[in-house]
């Protein structure tokens, strides 16, 4: 399985259009030791011809333009993108679907709850169903493995299983609507098994870490994990107000029950942070936080990184 990191920042990207925090300001001024980043986006492929997107970031269009393997290569209208796997209804994870609305066929994979939110509630997503078979919506279930299929319907060689990571739907889902949905389908973690048997854990948003999750992560060869915030009160420190990392559904990296310490016992997987918020001090490669993460065995993903499993 080939894995391409097309983007590695949290919502808003780095720098963010309306942010003048120390990181964003220094990056724009050209005296920041670190990279700008688009919003988190990952693509996987078994054969290098059919590609599957893990969510669809708001930056998807430019990410495709920077990634030759995702560009049309045969017909006048054509795309190697065979499908999109959705893990939540957050705008950060779905907005890019609207960049795929030009009547090009592809598959989506999401739970029944997510499909209802996207298809029944949001008329904008009707753009994906203007003609029959434009998009084939495939409902998936927790803990039931399924193959990712090419547009023609063939098993692509990557098998997928999703687990529940959280029970909060995004704020734009009304409480009445949320009450009609399964809470455990609100936020998923993904385990992909390559034809080689190697496994990828993709979890860009993790509200809490428990023993069950640690056991799943230990079965992975590579984990792409929630690196949104370094500390729980990071946004409040930068903005003077706002929510904590945990209130926003992200376990912070630092602290006694942060991801660095909680995942320190994992032996098998290579550990990589994605979905890094623009306020995270770890973005600065000369920062103590960047070195602390490295010393703990973590890497901080950058746009353009590739892996082979
Ligand atoms: Zn900023």
């Amino acid at each position: 399985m080939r894995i391409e990191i097309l983007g590695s920042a949290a919502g808003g990207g780095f720098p963010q259009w309306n942010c003048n925090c120390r990181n964003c300001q220094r990056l724009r001024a050209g005296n920041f030791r670190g990279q700008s980043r688009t919003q988190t986006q990952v693509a996987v492929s078994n054969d290098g011809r059919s590609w599957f997107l893990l969510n669809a970031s708001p930056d998807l269009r430019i990410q495709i333009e920077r990634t030759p393997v995702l560009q049309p290569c045969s017909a006048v209208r054509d795309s190697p993108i065979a499908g999109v796997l959705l893990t939540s209804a957050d705008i950060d994870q779905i907005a890019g679907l609207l960049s795929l609305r030009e009547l090009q066929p592809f598959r989506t994979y999401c739970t029944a709850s997510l499909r209802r939110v996207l298809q029944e509630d949001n008329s904008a997503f009707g753009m994906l169903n203007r003609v029959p078979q434009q998009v084939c919506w495939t409902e998936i279930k927790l803990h039931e493995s399924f193959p990712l299929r090419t547009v023609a319907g063939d098993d692509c060689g990557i098998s997928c299983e999703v687990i529940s990571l959280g029970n909060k739907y995004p704020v734009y889902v009304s409480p009445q609507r949320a009450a009609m949905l399964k809470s455990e389908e609100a936020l998923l973690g993904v385990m992909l098994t390559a034809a080689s048997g190697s496994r990828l854990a993709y979890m860009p948003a993790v509200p809490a870490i428990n023993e069950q999750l640690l056991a799943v992560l230990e079965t992975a060869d590579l984990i792409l994990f929630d690196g949104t915030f370094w500390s729980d009160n990071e946004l409040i420190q930068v903005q003077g107000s706002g929510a904590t990392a945990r209130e926003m559904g992200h376990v912070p990296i630092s602290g006694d029950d942060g991801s660095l310490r909680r995942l320190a016992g994992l032996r098998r997987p290579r550990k990589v942070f994605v979905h890094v918020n623009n306020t995270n001090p770890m973005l600065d490669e000369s920062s103590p936080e960047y070195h602390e993460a490295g010393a703990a065995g973590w890497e901080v993903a950058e746009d353009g990184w590739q892996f082979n499993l």
Side-chain angles (χ1 to χ4, degrees):
M1 174 165 59
R2 282 176 64 183
I3 300 154
E4 297 253 358
I5 307 243
L6 312 183
S8 52
F14 177 60
Q16 179 173 304
W17 68 281
N18 63 342
C19 186
N20 204 22
C21 76
R22 205 170 134 70
N23 279 349
C24 290
Q25 178 256 317
R26 284 159 64 218
L27 182 72
R28 290 194 179 100
N31 54 23
F32 182 83
R33 199 168 144 216
Q35 308 292 322
S36 69
R37 284 166 166 85
T38 56
Q39 295 167 88
T40 290
Q41 180 65 55
V42 171
V44 301
S45 177
N46 182 57
D47 59 8
R49 291 195 299 275
S50 285
W51 285 84
F52 298 87
L53 305 178
L54 304 183
N55 292 319
S57 93
D59 291 320
L60 186 55
R61 198 203 67 85
I62 188 67
Q63 290 164 337
I64 291 170
E65 289 314 306
R66 295 196 312 209
T67 311
V69 292
L70 295 182
Q71 295 164 6
C73 56
S74 54
V76 176
R77 291 292 167 88
D78 166 57
S79 173
I81 296 171
V84 183
L85 171 64
L86 301 171
T87 61
S88 85
D90 272 305
I91 297 290
D92 287 353
Q93 317 293 11
I94 62 167
L97 281 179
L98 292 172
S99 300
L100 307 177
R101 64 190 179 279
E102 277 80 20
L103 302 179
Q104 180 72 37
F106 62 94
R107 292 172 184 277
T108 64
Y109 296 88
C110 62
T111 60
S113 300
L114 217 60
R115 192 187 64 74
R116 293 182 70 186
V117 170
L118 298 184
Q119 281 209 290
E120 297 175 15
D121 302 352
N122 284 284
S123 53
F125 283 89
M127 292 298 285
L128 295 170
N129 289 90
R130 290 159 65 201
V131 298
Q133 305 307 315
Q134 179 184 349
V135 173
C136 168
W137 293 76
T138 310
E139 290 189 359
I140 60 177
K141 294 197 171 113
L142 298 177
H143 309 295
E144 272 185 25
S145 83
F146 56 92
L148 298 179
R149 296 187 183 278
T150 66
V151 170
D154 301 322
D155 182 339
C156 90
I158 298 172
S159 127
C160 182
E161 191 179 329
V162 295
I163 60 172
S164 176
L165 290 181
N167 53 19
K168 276 194 199 150
Y169 284 93
V171 287
Y172 75 81
V173 180
S174 69
Q176 295 88 331
R177 176 43 126 176
M180 299 160 65
L181 306 171
K182 292 181 178 169
S183 60
E184 67 270 24
E185 293 187 349
L187 172 64
L188 308 179
V190 177
M191 296 295 301
L192 294 183
T193 305
S196 64
S198 298
R199 281 158 68 82
L200 163 70
Y202 182 64
M203 304 183 183
V206 179
I209 299 166
N210 57 29
E211 294 303 316
Q212 217 177 346
L213 176 59
L214 289 174
V216 170
L217 292 173
E218 188 65 296
T219 70
D221 298 277
L222 169 66
I223 66 179
L224 301 176
F225 198 80
D226 188 340
T228 313
F229 297 111
W230 181 263
S231 54
D232 198 35
N233 63 353
E234 185 172 311
L235 270 192
I236 299 167
Q237 272 184 340
V238 169
Q239 301 174 348
S241 65
T244 66
R246 285 195 172 81
E247 284 167 354
M248 296 175 72
H250 296 287
V251 63
I253 295 172
S254 67
D256 281 344
D257 48 1
S259 51
L260 271 199
R261 279 193 206 157
R262 294 288 279 131
L263 273 57
L266 296 183
R267 289 286 161 264
R268 177 166 161 178
R270 179 173 173 182
K271 297 182 285 190
V272 178
F273 283 123
V274 292
H275 201 265
V276 185
N277 199 55
N278 60 82
T279 53
N280 192 324
M282 178 180 74
L283 286 172
D284 183 343
E285 292 165 20
S286 60
S287 69
E289 290 85 356
Y290 178 81
H291 291 290
E292 189 181 337
W298 284 85
E299 298 162 83
V300 184
E302 294 173 17
D303 298 12
W305 278 20
Q306 302 179 354
F307 305 93
N308 272 300
L309 288 184

